[in-house]
């Protein structure tokens, strides 16, 4: 049994996700609400050049500027969730102006690689009570996988050491500034290269770096998922092959160690897709559900119908609006976000998802909910 103090802490740490899940259910049933979550891809540029990154990192002539993003944010319903990401969002010119506008009426989180954080910037972020989550991508201890993926970066160790210090500074300052419930989250992509180290990575994140939460994300199965260039609508029905993990037994063993550790040490972890909470008890992870994350093909009968397109949208660097799948619904440089959400293309997409439940392009999507 979980003690009451930990239950309350757990509720706070899970609130960002649980609130969105509650809205998603209502939005799906009512079918007439504006989305709750807006993921803004501020830039496709990055201060790193990871060889495993799927994004196109050349500067786009039609990219939105800060005024464009601010105009969009002003159109969003009150109390929306705004995620600022990239590329590396902190390289975006006038990032602070966009952040300031986003946090006036909305809860906001930031996904970055951590290298460009400074004490002054962290104090600025924490000055807003609507800033809820700072997420840092960490693939292994000391992030050496990214070091190897950036062979031209000669000062990686020095830069990552700085990022570690900034995360510790963030945790100290949020208490000093009276913003203790702002979460520091770490995200790890599960790879064969780090399969045997997942438990060690988890301890590194929650012990050494003092992260409040740690998420394990599996390699997507379809290139259409969250892509930064658009596909044709009918492409969502094209079969794809997800990566088959070669060290799957090691991965499963490591994740069970994480779950037991979280229960014993009162830490919090997540799996994406969510086949287990990694908190709450020491029971083994449901092997049938967990094995879904290493299936090559998408079998829709194994998953609940997806309601994510009713609660969340992405806006790409060029203003293209798309749901979870990279199919254009319109562009905010041509129409308002409300016109796009209630427009013909988005209605067509939602009807398809309601009729189909999931489609081939949902292969290993992080929002999938197993029903087995």
């Amino acid at each position: 049994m979980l003690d009451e103090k930990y239950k309350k802490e757990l509720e706070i740490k899970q609130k960002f996700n649980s609130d969105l899940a509650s809205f998603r259910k209502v939005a799906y049933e009512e079918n007439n609400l504006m989305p709750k979550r807006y993921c803004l891809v501020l830039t496709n540029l990055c201060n790193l050049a990871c060889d495993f990154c799927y994004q196109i990192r050349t500067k786009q002539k039609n990219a939105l500027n800060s005024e464009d993003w601010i105009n969009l944010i002003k159109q969003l319903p009150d109390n929306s969730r705004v995620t600022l990401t990239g590329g590396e969002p902190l390289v975006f010119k006038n990032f602070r102006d966009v952040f300031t506008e986003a946090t006036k009426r909305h809860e906001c989180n930031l996904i970055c690689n951590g290298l460009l954080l400074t004490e002054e910037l962290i104090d600025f972020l924490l000055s807003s009570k609507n800033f809820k989550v700072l997420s840092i991508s960490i693939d292994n201890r000391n992030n050496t996988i990214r070091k190897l993926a950036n062979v031209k970066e000669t000062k990686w160790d020095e830069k990552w050491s700085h990022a570690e210090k900034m995360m510790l500074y963030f945790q100290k300052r949020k208490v000093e500034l009276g913003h203790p419930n702002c979460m520091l989250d770490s995200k790890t992509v599960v790879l064969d290269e780090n399969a045997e180290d997942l438990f060690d990575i988890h301890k590194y994140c929650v012990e050494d770096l003092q992260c409040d939460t740690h998420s394990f994300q599996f390699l997507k199965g379809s290139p259409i998922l969250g892509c930064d260039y658009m596909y044709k609508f009918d492409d969502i029905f094209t079969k794809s092959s997800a990566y088959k993990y070669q060290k799957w037994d090691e991965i499963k063993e490591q994740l069970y160690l994480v779950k037991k550790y979280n229960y014993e040490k009162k830490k919090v972890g997540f799996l994406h897709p969510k086949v287990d909470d990694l908190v709450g008890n020491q029971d083994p992870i449901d092997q049938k559900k967990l094995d879904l994350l290493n299936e090559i093909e998408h079998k829709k009968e194994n998953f609940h119908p997806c309601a994510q397109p009713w609660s969340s949208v992405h806006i790409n660097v060029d203003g293209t609006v798309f749901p979870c799948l990279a199919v254009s619904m319109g562009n905010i440089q041509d129409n308002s976000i409300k016109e796009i959400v209630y427009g013909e293309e988005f209605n067509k997409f939602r009807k398809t998802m309601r009729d189909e439940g999931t489609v081939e392009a949902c292969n290993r999507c992080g929002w999938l909910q197993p029903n087995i």
Side-chain angles (χ1 to χ4, degrees):
M1 293 289 292
L2 298 177
D3 62 62
E4 289 302 315
K5 182 175 182 295
Y6 180 49
K7 278 184 179 180
K8 291 180 180 178
E9 291 176 349
L10 190 58
E11 287 175 2
I12 291 172
K13 292 177 179 180
Q14 293 179 320
K15 186 174 178 6
F16 201 78
N17 291 322
S18 60
D19 283 355
L20 187 60
S22 298
F23 178 87
R24 184 165 55 237
K25 183 176 184 297
V26 173
Y28 183 80
E29 293 172 351
E30 297 192 9
N31 201 35
N32 62 356
L33 300 178
M34 286 288 288
K36 175 78 171 177
R37 176 177 178 264
Y38 298 84
C39 184
L40 312 188
V41 185
L42 297 184
T43 178
N44 62 316
L45 303 180
C46 186
N47 56 316
L48 294 178
C50 300
D51 56 12
F52 54 74
C53 181
Y54 63 86
Q55 276 197 314
I56 299 172
R57 291 189 294 270
T58 55
K59 189 171 183 178
Q60 297 189 23
K61 293 181 180 179
N62 56 346
L64 302 183
N65 59 34
S66 58
E67 291 184 3
D68 295 325
W69 286 116
I70 289 170
N71 180 57
L72 166 67
I73 293 167
K74 288 179 178 178
Q75 299 175 36
L76 304 183
D78 287 346
N79 303 312
S80 295
R81 295 281 182 83
V82 176
T83 298
L84 303 179
T85 185
E88 170 52 52
L90 295 182
V91 306
F92 180 72
K93 186 178 180 181
N94 299 325
F95 165 82
R96 297 189 186 206
D97 294 339
V98 177
F99 177 87
T100 298
E101 186 62 41
T103 53
K104 283 180 181 178
R105 297 184 298 117
H106 313 297
E107 294 182 335
C108 180
N109 70 313
L110 171 65
I111 302 174
C112 66
N113 59 41
L115 299 184
L116 299 181
L117 292 171
T118 65
E119 291 184 358
E120 191 269 335
L121 177 58
I122 288 171
D123 287 352
F124 166 74
L125 295 173
L126 289 172
S127 67
S128 172
K129 296 303 180 185
N130 273 336
F131 182 47
K132 298 299 181 180
V133 183
L134 171 63
S135 294
I136 310 291
S137 301
I138 303 173
D139 293 319
N140 63 339
R141 184 175 287 273
N142 300 320
N143 236 348
T144 54
I145 286 178
R146 297 202 173 218
K147 176 182 179 179
L148 295 174
N150 289 271
V151 293
K152 294 182 180 180
E153 177 53 72
T154 59
K155 296 184 178 180
W156 175 266
D157 293 337
E158 177 184 330
K159 289 185 176 182
W160 183 247
S161 177
H162 168 79
E164 291 177 320
K165 292 175 182 176
M166 290 303 98
M167 283 182 265
L168 295 175
Y169 178 82
F170 180 89
Q171 292 297 65
K172 176 175 73 77
R173 286 297 282 164
K174 74 181 190 183
V175 175
E176 295 173 347
L177 296 174
H179 198 2
N181 293 333
C182 185
M183 296 292 107
L184 176 61
D185 174 57
S186 46
K187 297 184 182 301
T188 295
V189 177
V190 178
L191 308 165
D192 277 323
E193 289 82 355
N194 61 14
E196 296 167 332
D197 301 317
L198 296 179
F199 181 41
D200 180 64
I201 298 167
H202 185 65
K203 291 194 293 182
Y204 170 63
C205 290
V206 301
E207 291 182 2
D208 297 7
L209 302 179
Q210 300 179 14
C211 294
D212 298 294
T213 58
H214 181 211
S215 304
F216 292 96
Q217 299 179 312
F218 288 81
L219 291 168
K220 64 182 184 178
S222 169
I224 306 178
L225 285 165
C227 189
D228 63 338
Y229 51 91
M230 297 298 105
Y231 286 76
K232 295 178 181 179
F233 186 91
D234 287 346
D235 289 338
I236 68 175
F237 302 108
T238 302
K239 280 186 175 292
S240 59
S241 294
Y243 177 78
K244 185 78 172 179
Y245 288 97
Q246 301 304 304
K247 296 183 178 179
W248 188 239
D249 288 340
E250 290 92 334
I251 289 171
K252 292 195 290 186
E253 180 182 348
Q254 289 285 302
L255 291 177
Y256 182 45
L257 291 175
V258 170
K259 182 175 182 179
K260 290 197 297 182
Y261 169 87
N262 285 347
Y263 178 78
E264 295 166 359
K265 301 293 184 179
K266 296 181 171 54
K267 303 297 182 180
V268 179
F270 300 104
L271 287 179
H272 297 279
K274 184 182 177 182
V275 299
D276 194 281
D277 283 327
L278 296 185
V279 292
N281 57 58
Q282 299 185 78
D283 296 340
I285 301 173
D286 187 316
Q287 294 299 297
K288 193 173 181 181
K289 288 183 178 180
L290 188 57
D291 284 341
L292 291 176
L293 305 187
N294 201 32
E295 291 283 349
I296 294 177
E297 295 184 354
H298 176 68
K299 299 175 182 178
K300 66 161 94 178
E301 63 269 20
N302 292 332
F303 302 97
H304 290 290
C306 184
Q308 189 62 15
W310 279 260
S311 67
S312 177
V313 295
H314 290 67
I315 298 91
N316 210 357
V317 60
D318 64 351
T320 303
V321 177
F322 62 101
C324 40
L325 303 179
V327 178
S328 175
M329 302 289 106
N331 193 295
I332 63 166
Q333 299 192 72
D334 302 320
N335 298 99
S336 70
I337 187 66
K338 190 172 184 179
E339 289 172 333
I340 294 171
V341 167
Y342 292 131
E344 181 179 347
E345 286 301 310
F346 224 130
N347 284 331
K348 175 184 175 183
F349 184 85
R350 285 190 292 262
K351 183 180 184 305
T352 298
M353 294 303 297
R354 190 180 289 276
D355 292 344
E356 298 289 336
T358 61
V359 293
E360 290 292 340
C362 298
N363 193 354
R364 207 181 286 168
C365 172
W367 297 106
L368 288 173
Q369 299 290 316
N371 67 357
I372 61 175

